[in-house]
Amino acid sequence: MRLKLGCLLLLALAVMGCWDFEEVDRRAFATTIGIDPAAGGKVRLTVQVPILTGGRGGAVGGGESGFYTLIQTARTVNEAFAALQTKTGRDLVIQQNKVIVLGATAARAGVKSLIDYLRRNPKAPPQSLVFIARGKSAAAILSFVPPKEILPASELILAGQTVPKADRVYFIPLWEFVQKLVHQSKDPYAPLIGVDRREKCFVFSGMAVFAGDRLAGTLDEEESQAFGLLANLMKAGALTFTTAGRRITLRNVKGRTRIAVREEDGRPSFHFKTVVYAALGEDTAGRTGLTPADYRRLEEEATQALRPRLEAVVKKLQNWEADVIDCGETLRAYHQRLWVRVKSSWRKVYRQALTTVEVKVHLARDGSLR
Amino acid sequence: MAWEPRSGEKIPQETPVFITALKERLGDPPDLVFTAAGEGITVAYLASLVEASELAGGVLDPLRRMGEGTEKFSWRNLLQSLPAREIRGRENLAEAVEDLLSGYALVHLAGSGTVYSFVVSRPFRWPPTQPQIERTIRGSRLSFPEALAEAVRLVRTRLRDASLRVEGFFLGRRTRTAIALFYLVDVADPGLVEEIRRRLSRIEIDGIVDSGYLEQLITDNRRSLFPLTQSTERPDKGVAAILEGRAAILVDGSPTAILVPATINELYQSSDDYYYGLFHGSFLRFFRVLGNLLAVALPGLYVALLGVNPELLPIKFALVVAQSRAGVALPLILEILLMEIIIEIFREGSLRLPTTIGQTIGVAAGVVLGIAGVEAGIVSSATLVVVVITAIASYSGPNYEVGITWRILRFGMLFAAIFLGLFGLAVFGLVILTHAANQNSFGVSYLAPWAPMRPRALFDTITRRPLAQNRRAGTYHPAEEDRLRLKEREEE
Amino acid sequence: MTDGRNHGSLAPEAIFALLFLALSGMEFLAAPYGAVRILGPSSYWAVVVGMILAMPVLVLARAWRRRFPGKNLRAVATAALGRPLGVIGNLLFLAVYLIWLVVAVRDAGDLVLAYLLDRTPLWVVVGFFLLGMLYVVANGLSTIFRLAEFVLIPALALRLLMSLVSLQGMEISHLFPAFSAPLLAYLRAGLDLFRTFLPLAALFLLGDLLPGPEGLFRNASLATGSATAILFLDALGAVGVFGADLAGELAWPGLAAIHHVSFPYLLVEQLGLLFLIVWLVTFFVAASFYLHLVAAGLTDAFPRLPYSWTTVGLALLVAFGGLILPNAAVVRTIFDGLRRFAMLPAAGYPFLVYFVAVLRGLGGRKDAA
């Protein structure tokens, strides 16, 4: 019996083919994907593929750029991806995709229809970072050849993993983007990516916020910082404010915001309590010998400077109906009854809700000067 | 308790009773010899331990000469007639037995309650040889001698316990090869010993040329890929196994002992694991197991990751490897198969080379061929790295046979990976595991102590059992479990 | 000595190993799915409710072992219900396992195709899997138990590690409100998850192989407890990371929760796929166990069936059944159906048999003594 089974096993092995065997150098890894709208309701898919030079054991790249781009217009993203197979001799695979760039125009029209392929395909990595192309099409971003950077995708990934970047740009992986998109009480955000032609580099500047699946508006860098504080995203920021003719920068800023919900006439009002932890990074007046009283004054000045910024951003987000700061989520999680009541008209409720902001700054140290 | 002398029992005065008592104590080993040296005088000795000429010249001949005379035997005359040498008088049977095991000859006079022991032990007669396969940094530098008598002497000198049983067999119609079975009568599972005897007695063959023959004839499953018996060339390992309650089988003319029962776990234990401290031993053992895992799985994993599931590789790694493969003439499958085959041929070839040339050739083949192969675009450097790691890792285990098993299975893993990637590897790995789970070695599960699980014995798998563990692991169903009692503890 | 037969009863550790693997391996990384649909954010409690609902099965197993030592379900059922009823009941009982096996193998095949392979035909994956399983069951239960014991420690450790790792990126607010649904809904969700604990009913089929009642109960409870803890962590991860809304949309939320984790610079970047392998190993052992149970049950009921050919026939049946299911939606529907309707009878049948047997005064102290 055992012999028979062994034979069967061998037989099975013998009749098997290698359906999924494809050598690594026979695969073209799509490392960055850009999605733009095209005429006639179609989508234009741009894909970056690293170039393998023939050199044995050599470093990646070696030519002028380490990658090439393929562009295809089709009715769906999947169709475009499949059609791209005709443009490369290798097997174009999505498994190693690191970055997704959505064109701003496409994002404004709604992203849900664009990312279904990336959500549905189990091979598409959920870790890929989502970016919105600032002002331009995703294709324009992807076809930009940075002179020094060999492979944009890996550079972008590295940027996403660098903690000090969580200052005015907050990277978001696809799974989290989708999670916020699907979650009824949340809205997604994504960093904006642009190209500086003169400096020849990518620029991450500001954040795109969504209302539902549509791009609602963009925040500039300072607004993004306020957003980062409100959404608990800022990990190591640098905040600058002006007070009494001096310019002061706080470094290593960490923010922590709690939302207190109050109910008035069956409508929620939100009170943001933001606590900021920071160190003194720069003081243009160059003052030394800070006393506890000076610390208190500095903290007070920082509070005065920050609160209006935060308030403005909250108002802006409310006007856009973009709930990227977890108002709805707080309501849903901790005020169930109220949430059930306002759930159906949540966007309107959010827009009209009374919001107040309270800021408290903790200055812990001031560097190597007394 | 085996190590405590059984006190009290006097030496029998009657000659037949004396002989029976000794036989009983030692389990009637084939090397226990009784010689009558005159009327009422019996000389008992262990043939494996004593020097025959010494015995004859120093004890037997003077005794016999006395017998030719007319004088009445008495201890006084007797002792006077013998050449001066170390002589002890013993009145206690246990002490006498101990002397016997230390290479003394016992002279017994009928009607007397005393025996006298004469030292007639002999030096080793074979040039000490070093173990070739199971080399260790620490521990004995001896390997088993080929002559069975010498081997028996070696084990007897290392394990001077009256409970050590040595049973002799002659196998092979034409070769009449002597075979010795060692075990501790009060530790080893009686069922195990019975089973070994049964299997040995079953053998009808024209010749036993090496213990390898015997190994295959007594194995539980001849069709198993795994060695279901453990072979060793190290006496210390043999003695340790006997102490565990296992049995050792030695074949005349073969420097390799067979230890049964064997478990897969046992095959990864090197004797010096126990000579170092607990953590040192565990550290070494962990990497040994890891090395063997690499040896069996690395080429398969390499192919699965490069050919079927490259999504698991970090992008930079994938690109670098892809880059190194880009100019290579051979497809990945052929490349790695070719390299594996070449490595196997190298291994076999270098075995026959004289050692001095062997090293030079090894370096030349390894370095020059490697570089040339990569330069010529026949193999990629990544594949070369994998193949070399695999080749070296396959030697990390101390047991040579199971190393071959993994080398064979490695090809199976390779094919499974080619067809079905990681999924194939997983299922094939489970099939291998199932095969191992199906095996028994003399009534002990091959996967013990993992399965059936013996939580206490599990310490002695990837990590090392602390020596201070005072009981034997239950894996081999020992009849006696106590092992160690530290003196301080006793006094407390 | 050499034939690998089962020697007497199994070690209690073996029961623990196999039950744990079956409990955590036959669950389809989809644990929270149905519960999320019913409960929303607090669906992780469903795992606990499911376990509480499964406890009576454990208690019954102990009582069974006491009252009918060495007798399996078939023997007691034919004695208690009469031969025709008993045989039919048993066949139905086995049928639940068989159907479960069919759907599970198909779903595992789909899972492998979705995440690890792409162009390989389903029949190859299923075939390879079943051939491996046949090899495992060919030597009977002792091999399965040994296999289970061998993989237990790595599987337990890795499974726990993965469940903990999947909590990366969890948002606490997703887990709130902690009681989001009416009480009755928790019961419903618990019943929905009750099928996870179906392997426990297999205890009634093992008969004389089981260890004594106390050892059995202790180890089975321990296995249930640890499997529940891991499933609970899985559910916590899925809901905590994705939120109830998204978790309810995913086909395999448990897997997705681990798949999303990113450890940059690690040699193997996509941890989820490695986890899939770990899970596949446990599933493989558990599925082999099921295959053996059904085959052994059939040969027990019809002694003229040879065990080996029964396993081959069943494997063919499973392969055929698995391949004949037209699409993923049908697989899910059958799963849902099994969840709702088959599991309670499957666990309820032993209860029925036991009570009828007690009423008719079968078994009891004198047998035990």
Side-chain angles (χ1 to χ4, degrees), chain C residues 58-81:
Chain C
L58 290 175
V59 175
L60 181 72
R62 179 170 62 171
W64 187 288
R65 186 76 184 78
R66 278 208 189 120
R67 195 171 182 93
F68 313 109
K71 280 191 180 160
N72 62 16
L73 187 63
R74 185 198 59 85
V76 179
T78 43
L81 306 176

Side-chain angles (χ1 to χ4, degrees), chain A residues 84-368:
Chain A
L84 277 180
Q85 296 279 5
T86 61
K87 296 189 177 176
T88 168
R90 296 185 273 157
D91 180 8
L92 187 66
V93 292
I94 201 172
Q95 278 101 321
Q96 287 282 11
N97 182 38
K98 303 293 174 196
V99 175
I100 298 160
V101 181
L102 300 172
T105 333
R108 244 171 242 122
V111 291
K112 213 162 184 173
S113 59
L114 295 179
I115 59 169
D116 187 72
Y117 173 63
L118 298 170
R119 283 186 61 193
R120 194 175 291 281
N121 189 346
K123 312 265 191 224
Q127 294 94 342
S128 17
L129 298 179
V130 179
F131 291 94
I132 307 295
R134 170 182 275 279
K136 299 192 187 70
S137 64
I141 305 276
L142 263 65
S143 48
F144 169 66
V145 183
K148 276 176 250 155
E149 291 160 357
I150 292 157
L151 186 60
S154 59
E155 290 303 315
L156 294 180
I157 281 287
L158 279 178
Q161 290 156 357
T162 316
V163 175
K165 302 262 181 195
D167 163 32
R168 58 200 72 200
V169 51
Y170 309 102
F171 297 87
I172 185 167
L174 178 65
W175 68 266
E176 200 175 351
F177 187 82
V178 169
Q179 181 247 103
K180 290 182 188 296
L181 193 64
V182 171
H183 215 62
Q184 208 191 345
S185 53
K186 281 183 174 183
D187 282 324
Y189 60 86
L192 287 164
I193 186 170
V195 170
D196 189 329
R197 296 274 169 204
R198 255 192 350 189
E199 306 262 352
K200 292 195 194 312
C201 60
F202 289 110
V203 186
F204 311 105
S205 56
M207 302 292 297
V209 293
F210 287 72
D213 75 328
R214 285 161 201 279
L215 177 65
T218 58
L219 302 171
D220 66 18
E221 294 189 12
E222 207 164 279
E223 287 168 339
S224 298
Q225 289 193 317
F227 160 67
L229 284 174
L230 286 166
N232 288 327
L233 293 169
M234 190 181 278
K235 296 281 185 292
L239 279 174
T240 305
F241 59 90
T242 313
T243 174
R246 301 177 292 138
R247 264 163 276 151
I248 297 198
T249 297
L250 304 179
R251 55 177 284 272
N252 233 344
V253 179
K254 273 191 268 298
R256 176 158 173 67
T257 298
R258 287 197 170 176
I259 304 174
V261 181
R262 247 170 283 138
E263 190 184 341
E264 282 160 27
D265 312 328
R267 293 177 159 279
S269 71
F270 299 95
H271 180 68
F272 294 87
K273 222 174 177 174
T274 304
V275 185
V276 177
Y277 301 92
L280 182 60
E282 188 174 345
D283 179 352
T284 51
R287 287 194 308 166
T288 51
L290 297 182
T291 59
D294 292 332
Y295 261 69
R296 264 200 304 281
R297 207 168 308 124
L298 264 174
E299 286 173 352
E300 183 53 35
E301 286 164 355
T303 306
Q304 293 304 332
L306 280 181
R307 198 175 49 216
R309 284 194 209 168
L310 263 57
E311 277 169 352
V313 168
V314 171
K315 280 278 151 359
K316 214 169 192 174
L317 293 174
Q318 275 184 289
N319 284 335
W320 288 338
E321 296 184 356
D323 180 14
V324 289
I325 45 179
D326 283 0
C327 285
E329 177 67 4
T330 310
L331 208 57
R332 184 199 64 73
Y334 307 109
H335 303 272
Q336 196 183 2
R337 242 177 305 132
L338 192 54
W339 169 251
V340 170
R341 231 179 301 146
V342 301
K343 195 158 69 169
S344 52
S345 57
W346 166 239
R347 289 203 185 283
K348 234 175 69 199
V349 173
Y350 171 63
R351 184 186 188 130
Q352 292 162 356
L354 182 68
T355 50
T356 46
V357 176
E358 180 189 336
V359 179
K360 191 154 175 50
V361 178
H362 285 292
L363 208 55
R365 53 190 72 84
D366 49 13
S368 57

Side-chain angles (χ1 to χ4, degrees), chain A residues 20 119 127 184 186 329 332, chain C residues 120 171 173-174 249 261:
Chain A
D20 275 292
R119 283 186 61 193
Q127 294 94 342
Q184 208 191 345
K186 281 183 174 183
E329 177 67 4
R332 184 199 64 73
Chain C
T120 307
E171 283 180 49
S173 74
H174 287 160
E249 283 187 4
V261 171

